Amino acid sequence: MKFLLFSLLFFGIFSVALAQKNKLNYHIAPQISLLNGDQSVSGQLGLIGVWEKNKWGFGLGAAIDYYKVRTAPFFFTSHYYLNQSKQLAIYASLGLNMAWPLENQFTNNLNRGGWGSIQHKGFTNGAYADLGIRYSLANTKLKGLSIALGYSMKTTKENFTETIFMPVIGGMPNSIIVPRTLEYKFNRIAITIGYRL
Amino acid sequence: MKPIMLLFTSAFLLLFSGCVKDAVSESYTFYRPVYKTKASVQNAITTVASSLISNAGKIVLKDHYIFLNEVDKGVHIIDIANPAKPVNLYYIAIPGCVDIAVNGNYLYADCYTDLVTIDISNPANARLKKVNEGVFPHRIYNGYYLDTTHIITEWVKVDTVVKSRFTGTLTQSITQNINLRNRAVMDFASVANSKAFSGGFGVAGSMARFALSNERMYTVSNTDLKVFNISQAASPEFTGKQALPLGDIETIFPYKQNLFIGSRSGMFIYNTINPDQPKKLSQFTHARSCDPVIADDNFAYITLWGGSFCGGFSNQLDIVDIRNLSAPTLLRTHPLTSPKGLSKDGDLLMICDGNEGLKLINVATASFIKSVKTVGGFEGTDVIAYNGIAIVTAKDGLYCIDYSNPEKAFIAGKIGIFAH
């Protein structure tokens, strides 16, 4: 957690400094999302930093995503304004979904039969993507609230090692250790409120 | 703009609401059975050219031949006339075979639920003589109930992926049909290791469930003791069975008129004065573990192998005083590393002790045993000690160890096992 907070802080300071140096139109925006998924609703807290030129914007973002299994997406983001007032934009993000599960989010009761055992090995990182449309309620300096509606997807993989026995009835046990994985793909509708600083 | 935004939002929700279904792909491995008809399998029980050893099971010594079980597949016939150069001569394909015994010119083997009798008077031309059908009903794979016409001849490893919708949370059960996964009930094999047989019997290794004594063959399953009349060697007849207490039976060792039966929680002593109806004399209880057992006139030697699928954590040799067969008592315990099969020749006890190899122990005075020599370099499973040569099955091969001078015992020869 400390690592994540420090990363976000460092990212914010670094991106502001970079924008000033390159004379680009730069802003950062903390945002909070409501994630409506498959029989589950959860949330996401994030921060994006964007450099803008004309109607295009490109930047970086990080978030904490609590949908079903806690993860920390780190992503590149971009947007394109659909009108001159720059109130309406489409956006897309793509990046890494860093696994960061809570202790009670491990699958610990996989069904199985016969002899053998299953050892939980943890999660591995996956992918993160979202896209949608954003409407700015900002003032003329484009500061202030925005609301967005989009589709958000994240993946992660849960890994196990499983000892299974070759199907012999007699003789010495003849076991092998094989990987067993659960690869999740979570799809959500995201309603996001951001505040452009 | 606001009406357009509202319209767009509504359309978005309608169009994409079907997309918010979570998915999970489960990757796992299982074994799939390959079936053949009983008739085709029995027709194929004959000698073929030697085959690579990949999964060594029980062993039986007869004259200068070693009969080595290839677990669930057949029997290798190995000539050890020259222990320095054992020769893998022939192979008899017997699907589902995990236990064997040799009576004169006949090989008894299980073929899943059947007992097959094979004429080996000419090992180069083994011939099926008789099939006792259905005498080992416990030889059924977990979850598989074979019909009377088909036999599983091999298992194929399958890596598979099952995709499904994931509506739960990660702490809930995954709902794939794991029943597709096929695992077998594992029965630990046991020991019958004796030089007390009459001349016609082969000397069984210490991991067998078949024991020959007094014109009878005794077999154990997890829960029962079966008796076969083998007075007509070519035509064994099933004469009866009786339930064994506690279950988890592993080994049977015949000595004179007694049977020493090892289970994961103790040893049972049965008397065979009435050969068709063995009578329980006593039992000796020990910590739960895998436990091959052998015996002589005065003592029973039990190795306890813990930390395995048998349960328990004891790794030791128990020497049990059996001078009073009705009241066996523990004489002493000797710590070991990971003991499995054992054998005894005179005062010399030999124990396969995990990756430390074969341990030779002098037990002339059972209360004061003395380590003589350890022959290392392999992880032994089972051993037959006979006339100065110890035949040891190990993870990486079949070893012939010359112990004619116990203090200078050495590996005389070896046949490698090939990884599967």
Side-chain angles (χ1 to χ4, degrees):
Chain A
M1 186 62 184
K2 285 181 181 175
F3 170 76
L4 190 65
L5 292 175
F6 277 117
S7 298
L8 290 172
L9 182 62
F10 176 78
F11 165 67
I13 294 170
F14 174 77
S15 55
V16 169
L18 190 65
Q20 288 176 343
K21 182 180 178 183
N22 293 329
K23 311 285 187 190
L24 292 174
N25 182 13
Y26 172 79
H27 71 267
I28 59 174
Q31 54 190 29
I32 182 169
S33 300
L34 182 69
L35 303 170
N36 294 275
D38 194 352
Q39 299 184 15
S40 180
V41 176
S42 189
Q44 184 191 84
L45 299 171
L47 178 71
I48 59 171
V50 177
W51 293 266
E52 286 186 349
K53 188 171 185 180
N54 300 325
K55 287 188 173 183
W56 285 96
F58 298 93
L60 298 170
I64 305 174
D65 188 319
Y66 287 94
Y67 184 81
K68 291 197 176 178
V69 57
R70 185 180 65 180
T71 59
F74 293 89
F75 51 87
F76 294 99
T77 185
S78 64
H79 64 245
Y80 179 77
Y81 288 115
L82 297 173
N83 58 2
Q84 291 297 327
S85 64
K86 294 187 175 180
Q87 281 187 304
L88 190 64
I90 55 172
Y91 68 91
S93 303
L94 185 67
L96 171 74
N97 187 41
M98 194 176 84
W100 189 27
L102 297 169
E103 284 187 5
N104 64 354
Q105 291 179 324
F106 298 153
T107 299
N108 54 16
N109 52 356
L110 277 175
N111 290 329
R112 67 180 316 284
W115 287 88
S117 61
I118 297 177
Q119 299 292 325
H120 195 278
K121 304 298 287 185
F123 286 79
T124 51
N125 301 332
Y128 175 83
D130 73 326
L131 60 90
I133 188 166
R134 180 164 53 230
Y135 184 76
S136 175
L137 306 173
N139 57 31
T140 54
K141 292 184 177 179
L142 295 174
K143 304 291 185 185
L145 281 174
S146 67
I147 183 167
L149 181 66
Y151 163 73
S152 171
M153 181 277 294
K154 70 172 181 177
T155 68
T156 187
K157 186 188 289 185
E158 196 174 6
N159 303 292
F160 309 84
T161 56
E162 182 175 20
T163 303
I164 64 173
F165 288 91
M166 291 182 69
V168 291
I169 290 179
M172 294 299 293
N174 191 4
S175 62
I176 59 172
I177 297 175
V178 293
R180 184 173 178 181
T181 61
L182 294 168
E183 192 166 356
Y184 302 102
K185 182 183 177 190
F186 299 118
N187 302 290
R188 300 81 55 89
I189 296 290
I191 300 170
T192 302
I193 295 175
Y195 192 87
R196 180 168 170 169
L197 299 174
Chain B
M1 184 59 68
K2 286 181 180 177
I4 294 175
M5 185 70 180
L6 190 62
L7 184 65
F8 185 86
T9 301
S10 303
F12 184 90
L13 286 172
L14 285 172
L15 286 172
F16 285 87
S17 59
C19 295
V20 288
K21 288 184 173 59
D22 295 334
V24 60
S25 299
E26 184 181 11
S27 304
Y28 59 88
T29 300
F30 67 95
Y31 284 89
R32 174 181 293 156
V34 177
Y35 291 92
K36 283 187 179 177
T37 64
K38 265 195 173 185
S40 65
V41 169
Q42 290 172 3
N43 289 337
I45 295 178
T46 184
T47 304
V48 295
S50 62
S51 172
L52 296 180
I53 303 166
S54 65
N55 190 8
K58 318 291 176 60
I59 49 174
V60 170
L61 172 66
K62 179 73 172 69
D63 301 330
H64 56 90
Y65 292 114
I66 283 287
F67 295 82
L68 173 65
N69 172 225
E70 181 76 33
V71 175
D72 260 345
K73 292 184 177 177
V75 176
H76 301 277
I77 303 177
I78 299 167
D79 187 348
I80 59 161
N82 179 1
K85 291 184 179 178
V87 180
N88 190 357
L89 288 177
Y90 310 111
Y91 179 71
I92 305 173
I94 312 172
C97 174
V98 294
D99 279 292
I100 54 177
V102 176
N103 177 16
N105 290 322
Y106 296 95
L107 169 68
Y108 304 131
D110 53 350
C111 179
Y112 289 110
T113 58
D114 301 339
L115 173 69
V116 294
T117 302
I118 300 167
D119 184 346
I120 53 169
S121 53
N122 178 5
N125 184 26
R127 287 171 293 127
L128 180 66
K129 294 295 289 186
K130 182 177 181 180
V131 178
N132 295 72
E133 294 200 346
V135 291
F136 303 122
H138 65 284
R139 293 295 316 279
I140 295 174
Y141 284 103
N142 187 25
Y144 278 84
Y145 297 94
L146 306 181
D147 64 28
T148 56
T149 59
H150 286 77
I151 283 178
I152 298 171
T153 54
E154 64 177 316
W155 294 81
V156 179
K157 183 182 172 190
V158 179
D159 297 317
T160 192
V161 178
V162 175
K163 295 181 179 179
S164 64
R165 183 181 175 188
F166 180 72
T167 57
T169 63
L170 270 63
T171 51
Q172 294 174 334
S173 295
I174 303 301
T175 56
Q176 273 76 43
N177 182 9
I178 308 298
N179 290 331
L180 288 173
R181 315 186 65 183
N182 308 312
R183 291 180 180 79
V185 173
M186 290 293 299
D187 293 344
F188 184 65
S190 63
V191 179
N193 187 349
S194 169
K195 289 163 60 177
F197 299 142
S198 61
F201 294 160
V203 180
S206 68
M207 290 289 176
R209 287 176 173 244
F210 289 4
L212 305 177
S213 177
N214 300 330
E215 295 190 335
R216 297 293 183 275
M217 180 168 74
Y218 300 96
T219 70
V220 289
S221 71
N222 269 2
T223 56
D224 65 22
L225 170 67
K226 295 186 177 69
V227 185
F228 295 84
N229 186 329
I230 55 171
S231 55
Q232 299 296 319
S235 180
E237 293 293 339
F238 176 64
T239 62
K241 69 174 182 178
Q242 59 179 280
L244 293 171
L246 298 182
D248 287 338
I249 304 299
E250 296 180 327
T251 71
I252 181 169
F253 176 81
Y255 188 76
K256 295 187 176 176
Q257 286 191 315
N258 300 304
L259 301 173
F260 295 83
I261 295 172
S263 81
R264 291 177 190 173
S265 53
M267 172 189 71
F268 303 96
I269 303 174
Y270 279 71
N271 184 288
T272 59
I273 292 174
N274 180 348
D276 289 327
Q277 291 184 331
K279 180 184 177 185
K280 182 184 170 187
L281 295 178
S282 60
Q283 74 181 63
F284 170 79
T285 304
H286 57 62
R288 185 173 181 82
S289 67
C290 298
D291 79 329
V293 54
I294 62 172
D296 58 23
D297 285 327
N298 300 317
F299 303 104
Y301 304 87
I302 306 170
T303 55
L304 305 187
W305 171 33
S308 67
F309 61 94
C310 298
F313 298 97
S314 303
N315 284 290
Q316 63 195 46
L317 167 69
D318 279 358
I319 301 178
V320 179
D321 188 336
I322 55 169
R323 282 173 285 197
N324 179 356
L325 288 167
S326 299
T329 55
L330 179 64
L331 181 70
R332 69 161 295 165
T333 289
H334 180 71
L336 292 167
T337 302
S338 181
K340 300 183 182 70
L342 71 168
S343 183
K344 186 168 178 284
D345 185 4
D347 293 334
L348 201 58
L349 183 68
M350 285 166 238
I351 301 173
C352 297
D353 194 11
N355 55 19
E356 294 187 14
L358 184 70
K359 288 185 175 173
L360 285 67
I361 299 171
N362 189 318
V363 290
T365 306
S367 59
F368 184 71
I369 64 176
K370 180 185 175 186
S371 178
V372 176
K373 169 84 175 177
T374 297
V375 182
F378 55 86
E379 187 172 346
T381 303
D382 198 4
V383 55
I384 295 175
Y386 188 77
N387 201 26
I389 296 295
I391 298 117
V392 179
T393 54
K395 279 195 169 181
D396 63 335
L398 180 79
Y399 288 80
C400 293
I401 295 170
D402 187 330
Y403 66 93
S404 50
N405 182 350
E407 293 178 348
K408 295 182 180 177
F410 65 97
I411 297 172
K414 174 191 175 184
I415 290 181
I417 286 177
F418 295 86
H420 38 75

